[in-house]
Amino acid sequence: MIPHESVQVVIPALNEEEAIGTVVTRLRDRGFARIRVVDNGSDDATVERARAAGAETVVEPRRGYGQACWTGAQALPADVGWILFCDADGSDDLDDVMRFLAEAGSGVDFVLGDRRTRPCARAAMTTVQNFGNALSVGLVRLGWGHRYRDLGPLRLIRRSLYEDIAMRDRGFGWTLEMQVRAVEQGARIVELPVGYRRRQGGRSKISGTLKGSAQAGAIILSTIARLAWRRVPAGLLWAGALVFAGAALMAPHGEASALQVPWFLFGAAVMSLGFCLAWRRIKEGGPGFAIPAWWFWAVAVGARVLLIPMEPGDDVWRYFWEGRIQLAGHSPFLEPPNAPGLAALRPEWWNLINHREHTAIYPPMFQLLLRLFAATFGDALWAWKSVVVAADLAVCAALAARFGRAGALLFAWNPLVLYATAGGAHFESFLLLALVVAWRAWDQARWHVAAFAVGVSAGVKWITLPLIAWMAWRHRGNPARVVTMTAGALAPLAISVLWFRIEYGAIGDLWPREFVAGARGMDLAPWLAGLVIPALADSNYWIPFVFGPLAVAVLLRAQTFPGAAEMYVTLLLCFLPSVHPWYFVWLIPWAIQSANPGPLFLSVSAFVYFRVWQTHDLTGVWELSAWERLAVWLPFAGATLWWLWRRGDRRQAS
């Protein structure tokens, strides 16, 4: 227990003549000799009664709870090592102070009274007090990660900590600032349940009036905002603001017209600048770089919300159509949108559907999800975007839990991810969420969960089927496990295919052969091959014969799940004949793990693709120029090759 003589008691007071004498007397009865009452402009007998009870009095005419506390803690004797703050209204149970001294003697820096643990004490607090305290400590926990229970006035703080904190607030935000700054200083903090009762006289300056309560609430919230804002590392404030600004600039310009594209690209450029600034700041900060949770999520959520009203990509109308016709008893694998038998089902947005002459290319499991959505929400665009964004934010949360907010920021603030999900309404977040779940399960040796999650991802997009084979290969020494894992992975696909077979009597083409064989767009390897051998420029049939062996070689070399996913997807994107910018989102989570800068460069350069919107609107030609194609791919290819060279160099050195 620390000695009483090392403690300076500070009591701010304003018109507390009814209770102040009793408070001082109780403190003196408990061994405290250094008691300083700071009168904050009373027009009653507060000062006289405090002096009569044996307290030192200081007059502070400048109003403010924090101002009075600050003044009372000035000019302390040299041998004072602790400061005890308490209220002047008699509401604190001063019998608890002895436990504070004992706790301080055990090496703690800051002891707080918790009025909200004991039912009788909590009942003595007003509704405004309970609500305000719960809200405040909740915000502190969100922003600083420390779980306080109360903002009680009874508190004992080590003098050195108090001086390090350098209190700035002079109002009702005083208690909150002290607690937040103590967390930031890494102080050893203890909260002790204490008694509490209604004030013993006078009127509360905070919860006694509606105006006072509103003012106190505004002050506390502004204090949290000020303290939280100050915590954001230099550079990230501007970075996040630019991401916000870019999202706001892009949102009104989602239509694929010549007039809209320049403004769309301007918004993308502003977002990209913010993203690059954040990326640079993270690299400068090193492994221990910390980002406040509130700012990380404010930008991640806020930018997505700004983009939700944006006109989406035309794929979304295809999603809605295929869900709609299933409800009407038609299979999207058997009848294309322009089928005469479906004419009666055409909505007002039917002309927005892309590739109306082709049947569905999305897997049966995803088609069932579209049917479920149509049955629940119809063709509500806001609902679709909300579901897509929710999955996207779940990926952000999973990555933040694994790599910290600094690592996850490369996905959460990524301009291409923001556009693809919240703006364009593409469903890449469903695919990535399943893969991130599989990744976590694989690392935890929950093999069957991982296999099932990869199966779900393949049910969203066919592309991840080879990862099922890789997982089986990795467990080839355990045949029983290979069988059960493979069965679990293929179950979502098999069940959905069987459902379509039973429901409609036939499956039809799970992907239109003509479309798959001839579709091209922003491709890399097929385009380069066509430049060398012109005969290959108009056909995709040769691609599997080159890509297949390369994919097998890549997967056989992979030792980890993220390594297999990253290298396979990288190769896939390079060989896909039809590539869209939102496909590049498939690479971002793995780049966080591997530190490959290629996908991050691609997150910016991919926006060059959208020049094709303008070209098509003006000329009717849907094709990138050679220079535009190189502008998209070269930053990615160059950075990835450099990364591979550095990785090989490091392995050789080790």
Side-chain angles (χ1 to χ4, degrees):
M1 179 181 293
I2 62 173
H4 290 73
E5 56 269 21
S6 69
V7 179
Q8 173 70 63
V9 181
V10 175
I11 309 174
L14 174 60
N15 293 329
E16 299 288 3
E17 64 178 5
E18 296 178 47
I20 188 62
T22 302
V23 171
V24 172
T25 299
R26 287 178 178 171
L27 286 166
R28 289 179 63 83
D29 290 344
R30 285 156 182 78
F32 294 97
R34 288 171 165 157
I35 304 172
R36 182 177 291 176
V37 175
V38 184
D39 183 71
N40 204 206
S42 301
D43 55 15
D44 63 2
T46 295
V47 172
E48 291 78 6
R49 296 193 180 181
R51 286 175 181 166
E56 172 193 3
T57 58
V58 176
V59 176
E60 173 51 85
R62 292 170 293 182
R63 288 292 180 90
Y65 178 83
Q67 182 65 54
C69 290
W70 183 84
T71 300
Q74 301 304 301
L76 300 178
D79 59 341
V80 168
W82 294 83
I83 307 171
L84 175 69
F85 294 95
C86 69
D87 274 352
D89 59 10
S91 58
D92 295 319
D93 186 349
L94 297 176
D95 288 335
D96 294 312
V97 173
M98 304 308 292
R99 293 190 295 121
F100 279 43
L101 301 185
E103 197 69 44
S106 67
V108 172
D109 300 309
F110 191 20
V111 188
L112 289 155
D114 167 24
R115 302 166 295 175
R116 303 182 71 235
T117 294
R118 295 178 180 174
C120 57
R122 186 170 62 251
M125 298 171 67
T126 66
T127 302
V128 172
Q129 284 177 308
N130 274 302
F131 174 77
N133 277 268
L135 175 62
S136 299
V137 298
L139 291 172
V140 171
R141 184 182 182 187
L142 176 64
W144 285 266
H146 186 89
R147 186 170 186 173
Y148 283 114
R149 292 186 292 270
D150 194 9
L151 300 180
L154 188 61
R155 52 189 56 208
L156 179 66
I157 185 169
R158 191 184 297 272
R159 180 179 180 174
S160 59
L161 173 61
Y162 174 82
E163 292 172 348
D164 289 341
I165 285 174
M167 296 289 296
R168 295 173 57 190
D169 194 277
R170 298 295 184 264
F172 290 131
W174 170 272
T175 56
L176 178 60
E177 181 183 28
M178 184 182 291
Q179 290 178 223
V180 167
R181 293 285 292 121
V183 173
E184 292 178 350
Q185 290 290 323
R188 292 160 293 183
I189 303 168
V190 169
E191 281 187 278
L192 298 178
V194 296
Y196 187 75
R197 52 181 173 264
R198 301 281 184 180
R199 61 169 31 252
Q200 302 302 293
R203 187 176 185 181
S204 172
K205 316 314 181 285
I206 301 177
S207 57
T209 65
L210 181 61
K211 180 180 178 181
S213 300
Q215 288 178 337
I219 290 170
I220 287 174
L221 290 176
S222 64
T223 299
I224 287 179
R226 173 175 60 81
L227 293 168
W229 193 257
R230 193 173 62 181
R231 284 191 73 218
V232 180
L236 281 189
L237 285 176
W238 278 109
L242 287 170
V243 172
F244 270 128
L249 289 167
M250 180 186 284
H253 306 290
E255 296 180 12
S257 69
L259 293 177
Q260 298 286 358
V261 169
W263 289 104
F264 172 89
L265 292 178
F266 179 62
V270 174
M271 266 201 295
S272 298
L273 178 59
F275 173 69
C276 291
L277 285 176
W279 181 17
R280 178 181 177 182
R281 184 67 185 89
I282 290 169
K283 287 177 69 68
E284 291 173 348
F289 185 71
I291 301 173
W294 77 272
W295 186 236
F296 173 87
W297 287 111
V299 176
V301 175
R304 285 165 171 80
V305 170
L306 286 173
L307 285 168
I308 282 178
M310 180 179 176
E311 184 72 18
D314 58 7
D315 283 355
V316 74
W317 310 113
R318 183 87 189 206
Y319 308 156
F320 290 168
W321 170 258
E322 292 175 354
R324 171 187 284 250
I325 67 170
Q326 287 182 72
L327 293 179
H330 299 272
S331 170
F333 295 112
L334 296 174
E335 299 173 271
N338 64 357
L342 301 179
L345 297 176
R346 295 175 183 176
E348 64 278 5
W349 43 260
W350 187 81
N351 286 330
L352 298 175
I353 299 172
N354 58 23
H355 306 297
R356 293 189 291 272
E357 68 279 11
H358 295 294
T359 54
I361 62 172
Y362 306 118
M365 194 192 84
F366 183 68
Q367 293 294 345
L368 294 180
L369 292 177
L370 295 179
R371 175 176 179 154
L372 176 62
F373 179 87
T376 308
F377 298 105
D379 53 8
L381 181 58
W382 66 268
W384 175 260
K385 284 199 172 188
S386 297
V387 173
V388 169
V389 166
D392 192 36
L393 291 174
V395 175
C396 294
L399 294 174
R402 187 178 188 88
F403 301 108
R405 290 185 291 274
L409 181 145
L410 301 176
F411 182 91
W413 293 16
N414 190 293
L416 191 60
V417 174
L418 292 171
Y419 161 74
T421 53
H426 301 287
F427 60 93
E428 315 310 306
S429 53
F430 299 161
L431 173 76
L432 289 182
L433 182 58
L435 288 176
V436 168
V437 169
W439 182 3
R440 180 176 177 83
W442 185 268
D443 286 351
Q444 295 175 342
R446 298 163 63 197
W447 316 117
H448 294 86
V449 173
F452 179 79
V454 172
V456 170
S457 74
V460 173
K461 284 202 171 185
W462 296 111
I463 61 163
T464 56
L465 277 171
L467 291 179
I468 298 174
W470 176 82
M471 291 190 295
W473 170 256
R474 293 296 297 173
H475 288 272
R476 60 191 181 278
N478 189 333
R481 183 180 293 167
V482 168
V483 171
T484 55
M485 284 174 57
T486 304
L490 296 178
L493 298 167
I495 292 171
S496 57
V497 169
L498 181 62
W499 189 92
F500 269 88
R501 180 70 176 80
I502 294 173
E503 178 75 6
Y504 300 107
I507 293 295
D509 283 340
L510 292 182
W511 51 79
R513 293 185 181 90
E514 181 184 350
F515 178 75
V516 172
R520 286 289 181 94
M522 207 171 71
D523 46 308
L524 179 60
W527 173 67
L528 293 173
L531 294 179
V532 178
I533 306 175
L536 301 181
D538 299 322
S539 172
N540 296 336
Y541 286 110
W542 62 272
I543 295 175
F545 297 101
V546 178
F547 168 74
L550 291 174
V552 170
V554 163
L555 289 173
L556 288 178
R557 286 176 57 86
Q559 301 296 312
T560 65
F561 185 89
E566 180 173 26
M567 297 312 298
Y568 162 70
V569 171
T570 298
L571 189 68
L572 176 68
L573 289 172
C574 290
F575 274 88
L576 272 179
S578 181
V579 182
H580 299 290
W582 45 94
Y583 291 3
F584 298 141
V585 171
W586 305 343
L587 279 174
I588 307 302
W590 323 114
I592 298 172
Q593 162 86 2
S594 67
N596 177 7
L600 304 182
F601 282 119
L602 195 55
S603 302
V604 175
S605 66
F607 284 101
V608 174
Y609 166 88
F610 293 99
R611 284 271 298 135
V612 79
W613 284 355
Q614 192 171 28
T615 303
H616 181 263
D617 196 48
L618 294 174
T619 67
V621 177
W622 188 272
E623 186 174 358
L624 290 172
S625 70
W627 289 110
E628 288 168 341
R629 198 181 300 259
L630 290 173
V632 171
W633 285 102
L634 273 181
F636 165 68
T640 299
L641 290 173
W642 174 84
W643 168 75
L644 288 170
W645 174 76
R646 288 289 305 273
R647 188 175 69 165
D649 197 43
R650 286 193 297 269
R651 285 178 176 174
Q652 191 174 27
S654 61

